[in-house]
């Protein structure tokens, strides 16, 4: 099979690094360009000693990002850039015929107004919002196949949407009153020099932040609303915890059907299990925990897998669903590559095991 | 002032160690006995090199626990023992005239039936349940003053009750639908040799456990029900996170009063703040965060302080309250010493700063 | 290519788990049996949820170790067992025609007396010592090719021998006075329930242990002596540090040739670099850091690579060499698989990237 | 007793914070001023929520550093500033009559040439070098009593000098060939925004740095030379390890007297033990481990104690000495306060237990 040429803009952050690592070993891709303003001129091996074993690492050099140039070097371009900056590159790259997979939030929303509400500036390219596909393969696989612009989901949204969407579509839970309590490893804050993310500030520390209106709410609620067929507003509390990798989300949901007796609970549990099986039994990257095990970030770290478990509480009438994923893999770069595999017709797990 | 003589039964666990550390330096107490089946015969300095600087550490030896003997050596006896075992010592010690401060769950509930439901065995001394005082000083200070048997609260309950009780008593929140999502450091699992709590199993891991019916629910709900004047059932999800010390609890609460406009939200926020000020402004160990800061376990680790912050969410109509404490100090040994200070008429902060 | 059948005895520890993980995905191997006394009867997926994505994980069950049975199921058997126990299985397995790759210390030494001195019991199968090959591929590749019994090196020895052996053989350093100061992650202690390795005991802790006579000295010194052509005794201090994976070793060596001027230092530095290049430039798993970078365990964690850097100190006349490896991969299971690849004629990097 | 007024310049770093914390609770000191360019205008409670329980925290505000003003507010001024900057304040403060305790390296050396060699710029106030006293209380207690300028030792130097000096003065070890291998927690890098010290860069990472010529060598060697009576050059390798607090140093030393038999080793061990006992038995902050225990940073974290243990190795003829301290307490702020206590005639342990 002919190799597809790919480039990564913003390759020196944590998501960029993970993209590079997996693209270097991807059986159907040739990594042809990596950009980084700070690292321009350096080889991959100089910036990331851990890649030094790969032959490309000595020859491939970081360059300044330049859309014209990149469009000549690559058919697929990944944008691992901050919100707002990504759009600046997406526009010319699309015009020049590249397929763009954007890991930022720039094209995840359909509404430029909601973007402005949550990101506090006008959307830089509202004309592209209708064209972009939300890159959650388990939900939008067909649309991804023909997409030219894929907006890869955020880490928190992935950990919330995959467990909630099937229940919502099956009308097993109420769309109102959803609560998502999420715990994220520090790599989610990016590789940037800020005192708050120093080792000493994060180690032996656990803390909520962005309460009550975190930016990721916008895409979470848009996707939930689409599934519910009506506007959904949720409660979302992110916390920072001292691990490198991983997001653990605990969801508090209200079943549509009241259950009181043990028999009713068992029947409902069976329905929920069937709903998840129907949605995900054949998905290579969703691990349904239907036994006694609960999700644990250490079981998914470094992989593109999300673990999901569920418990009905007869005391409160609530459904508690828990998920675990690697925020940089299934929550960012792994999922972006999964979309690329779909887009290019590669086996969906290529480069992801 | 004459020194009070105190003993610690079960002094080799994490709570026991913290009791010993603070009793050694307490201005009004003489630590006269420490027990531990495994460490019997060893000096304090041999078991805990870090205490070796204290003169007592070379002479005070761990002994086998023996109620008759301990009653001759101490007026106050702390029980840092597993559930079920503590009662075996409380009964004879009380008979022999000691004041007992129990850090286990044995005397926290008023109902022997609830105890059996949650702890899966008959209560070992149901006749004492009426006599015991729940050792939450901010709530039961007066009762603690004259108590002979103090049941010191659990770590999770403390982190939930202190933020919720004032709101419930002031009828600012509904007693139904309370959700407590808690994150605990690994010391909460005790100093016991189990694979699940090995460094490698906990480091780079975040995981829920005990879902949906953790034992601590029993005392949390009993106390909430007393404050509400009606039975309260809550949702509680504990998680294990890789820190030594600390509990971070995020509470999802429903205000009694609906708020829609910004003005209504501001008015309600003011009421909540006033409620907390009225309850805790003079409490030495409750830190109300009424500015932009949110709780962080690293700001309370090693101290007897609990931090509390609150946010109204106009999007969902919910109140989110967050607390942080050191699970071994305010969540266990520090709080037990605070009760002892009250019981003995010492300044409440003695040995706790 | 026909798949080789392989089994792992003692598959539930950290080294066993890593062997299983890589054998499941090895292109030329079929994992046919895994044993564990504690886990017998359970499937791979039940014991290791993270392997649940692999089709074999639902069907392959842990069984009790039984040499007769295993010899029918596998051509290659890995022993991931404690010292002393491994030999019990090696003897019958070899008799029954299996090739054995032992990760314990049982067959690493040539001398049964030295074994007894360091392991405090008689060697369980001294007749096999002459037959076993020390499985350090970079040194014994040819011998490994025809071996029936491979004694895979210890984690500390690997981190010391690979940096020191080339210098010793080239007579660039004196064989006397070698000091190795090593820092190991906690997985080196194994997955066993001991208080010393609890999260709370290891986190925020750094400590030496086994000073001054650690068991690994025996194989380190035997290998150094073989390279030097005369008995070598070294100083070795292991330390426990709070990471899951990794060994960082700092070596203090005395160059044979005195250097005083900057020119002499530069010349010697060049010789050392040439010596390392000659030994390792073509080795897929040795990364020579000849620029400003120093080894860092995070750059080798999860890989079979060892990083090596070297600095001459003109102030002291000493050579400081530093290495970093993953103690469970290059220090144990990865290296064992590297030997298997050589033994079976597979590409040496198969299953190791 | 009248309270002494003290100020801290550079109070927002880790050492500054620790000084503030302990000065707030010091029985004989009133903290009258804290400075920080970034935090000027904020109260102590705003910058450090954990101090909010102290009455001063709401009124004491960070101000810009101004020597004239500070000299009116304080008799003792602590400089917790970077190297080079500290001298700018020391000069006017001394002129204005303050006693200065400097935690930087500016006045630790007696030679301005050595300063320039190691710190790469001219010494900013060479005329003060003769006047300053090296603030290692266990060695220079008498000189500290009358000092106006105390240069508090570095964290690495403290961990090396306290174990080595008594042996050197007693001529039990050779002054040549000393090797110090040190492991430091990340707080040693300071509270500054640099990518290298982000949580994700340090967690699961162990790495040497500053090899082979770290700046602290200058003061270590000057002090060792003074004790030996002849120039001493040592080998020193610092490593960064993922803990907040602590330095663990392993020292490789050559006994002056050769020992071969077990009897000779026992006799020499007794001499070394006697030497340490004679030097430190009455020191409140030196814990000699003369039993089976080895130093562990978790046993000294948060305290002003240094632990020391020693082992003779009959196989190599070497003496291995290990020490553990909290780099921010005994390695910085605690030691500075110990010097202040001596200087002011307070009990030496005041504010340090």
């Amino acid at each position: 099979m002919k190799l597809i040429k790919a480039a990564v803009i913003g390759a020196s952050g944590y998501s960029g690094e993970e993209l590079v690592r997996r693209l270097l070993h991807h059986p159907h891709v040739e990594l042809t360009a990596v950009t980084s303003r700070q690292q321009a001129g350096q080889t991959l091996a100089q910036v990331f000693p851990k890649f030094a074993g790969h032959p490309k690492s000595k020859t491939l050099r970081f360059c300044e990002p330049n859309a014209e140039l990149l469009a000549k070097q690559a058919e697929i371009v990944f944008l691992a850039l901050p919100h707002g900056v990504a759009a600046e590159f997406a526009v010319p790259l699309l015009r020049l015929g590249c397929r763009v997979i954007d890991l930022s939030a720039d094209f995840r929303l359909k509404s430029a107004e909601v973007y402005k509400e949550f990101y506090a500036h006008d959307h830089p390219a509202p004309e592209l919002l209708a064209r972009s596909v939300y890159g959650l393969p388990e939900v939008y696989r067909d649309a991804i196949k023909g997409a030219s612009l894929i907006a890869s989901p955020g880490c928190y949204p992935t950990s919330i949407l995959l467990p909630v969407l099937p229940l919502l579509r099956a009308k097993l839970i109420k769309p109102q009153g959803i609560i998502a309590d999420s715990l994220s490893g520090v790599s989610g804050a990016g590789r940037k020099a800020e005192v708050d993310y120093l080792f000493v500030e994060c180690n032996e520390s656990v803390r909520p932040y962005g309460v009550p209106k975190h930016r990721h709410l916008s895409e979470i609620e848009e996707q939930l609303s689409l599934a519910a067929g009506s506007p959904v507003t949720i409660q979302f509390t992110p916390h920072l915890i001292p691990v490198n990798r991983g997001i653990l989300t605990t969801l508090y949901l209200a079943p549509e059907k009241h259950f009181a007796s043990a028999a009713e609970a068992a029947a409902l549990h069976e329905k929920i299990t069937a709903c998840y099986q129907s949605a995900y039994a054949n998905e290579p990257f969703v691990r349904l925990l239907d036994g006694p095990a609960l999700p644990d970030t250490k079981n998914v770290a470094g992989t593109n897998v999300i673990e999901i478990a569920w418990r009905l509480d007869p005391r409160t009438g609530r459904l508690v669903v828990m998920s675990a994923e690697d925020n940089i893999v299934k929550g960012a770069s792994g999922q972006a590559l999964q979309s690329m595999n779909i887009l290019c017709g590669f086996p969906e797990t290529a480069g992801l095991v």
Side-chain angles (χ1 to χ4, degrees), chain A:
Chain A
M1 198 185 289
K2 193 175 139 283
L3 295 182
I4 291 274
K5 290 178 179 174
V8 178
I9 308 191
S12 64
Y14 294 127
S15 296
E17 178 184 346
E18 183 76 19
L19 282 170
V20 168
R21 191 172 77 80
R22 291 178 178 268
L23 287 170
L24 282 175
H25 294 95
H26 196 289
H28 309 307
V29 177
E30 184 191 355
L31 178 64
T32 56
V34 290
T35 86
S36 162
R37 292 224 155 89
Q38 307 97 299
Q39 310 291 354
Q42 306 244 69
T43 65
L44 266 184
Q46 285 169 319
V47 174
F48 298 122
K50 70 182 81 161
F51 297 157
H54 194 282
K56 277 233 139 170
S57 70
K58 308 282 163 83
T59 55
L60 194 58
R61 285 181 190 278
F62 283 87
C63 58
E64 296 276 345
N66 176 312
E68 303 286 328
L69 229 68
L70 288 164
K72 291 180 189 148
Q73 297 172 296
E75 296 149 85
I76 305 252
V77 181
F78 292 88
L79 308 181
L81 294 166
H83 310 320
V85 183
E88 289 176 31
F89 289 92
V91 176
L93 285 167
L94 286 168
R95 190 174 22 84
L96 293 161
C98 292
R99 313 263 200 133
V100 172
I101 302 180
D102 178 16
L103 282 76
S104 88
D106 280 0
F107 300 101
R108 293 179 191 155
L109 298 172
K110 290 299 159 202
S111 155
E113 290 75 47
V114 175
Y115 183 92
K116 190 174 180 181
E117 179 193 346
F118 279 85
Y119 291 90
H121 56 84
D122 284 326
H123 193 282
E127 70 283 3
L128 290 178
L129 290 180
R131 183 172 168 189
S132 76
V133 173
Y134 194 67
L136 196 58
E138 289 77 8
V139 179
Y140 293 106
R141 187 170 281 118
D142 287 344
I144 290 168
K145 275 174 192 159
S148 55
L149 173 57
I150 293 173
S152 214
C155 49
Y156 287 123
T158 301
S159 82
I160 292 167
L161 294 173
L162 287 176
V164 174
L165 289 177
L167 304 175
L168 211 50
R169 284 189 308 242
K171 302 204 183 302
L172 285 168
I173 57 165
K174 294 182 180 146
Q176 293 86 34
I178 295 173
I179 295 175
D181 191 288
S182 292
L183 319 176
S184 172
V186 188
S187 57
R191 187 183 263 135
K192 52 181 187 243
E194 288 185 24
V195 165
D196 280 356
Y197 306 112
L198 290 179
F199 181 85
V200 177
E201 302 301 314
C202 295
N203 185 37
E204 289 295 295
S205 160
V206 193
R207 45 180 144 135
Y209 68 98
V211 182
K213 197 177 171 187
H214 187 277
R215 289 172 165 188
H216 278 178
L217 271 169
S218 52
E219 64 182 282
I220 298 167
E221 293 180 348
E222 185 171 283
Q223 292 298 322
L224 293 179
S225 301
L226 287 168
S230 62
V232 173
T233 303
I234 75 160
Q235 191 79 50
F236 168 55
T237 314
H239 300 74
L240 195 69
I241 46 167
V243 297
N244 282 1
R245 295 288 192 93
I247 283 183
L248 192 294
T249 288
T250 302
L251 293 149
Y252 300 96
L253 307 170
E256 272 291 355
K257 206 175 147 55
H258 176 75
F259 60 100
S261 67
E264 286 173 344
L268 182 53
H269 189 272
E270 214 164 295
K271 270 195 186 171
I272 294 164
T273 302
C275 172
Y276 276 133
Q277 293 286 359
S278 149
Y280 297 134
N282 297 316
E283 286 295 341
F285 297 120
V286 181
R287 187 186 302 149
L288 298 175
L289 302 178
D290 52 9
L294 292 176
D296 185 334
T297 58
K298 74 166 173 278
N299 288 337
V300 294
T303 82
N304 198 46
V305 169
I306 182 168
E307 285 190 339
I308 303 176
W310 51 98
R311 295 288 184 275
L312 282 169
D313 187 349
R315 302 172 71 257
T316 62
R318 232 184 246 101
L319 170 63
V320 181
V321 179
M322 295 144 284
S323 74
E325 65 174 23
D326 184 316
N327 57 315
I328 298 291
V329 189
K330 184 62 179 167
S333 307
Q335 185 146 263
L337 289 171
Q338 191 181 351
S339 284
M340 178 198 73
N341 286 340
I342 296 167
L343 184 70
C344 298
F346 304 145
E348 197 164 324
T349 58
L352 287 170
V353 276

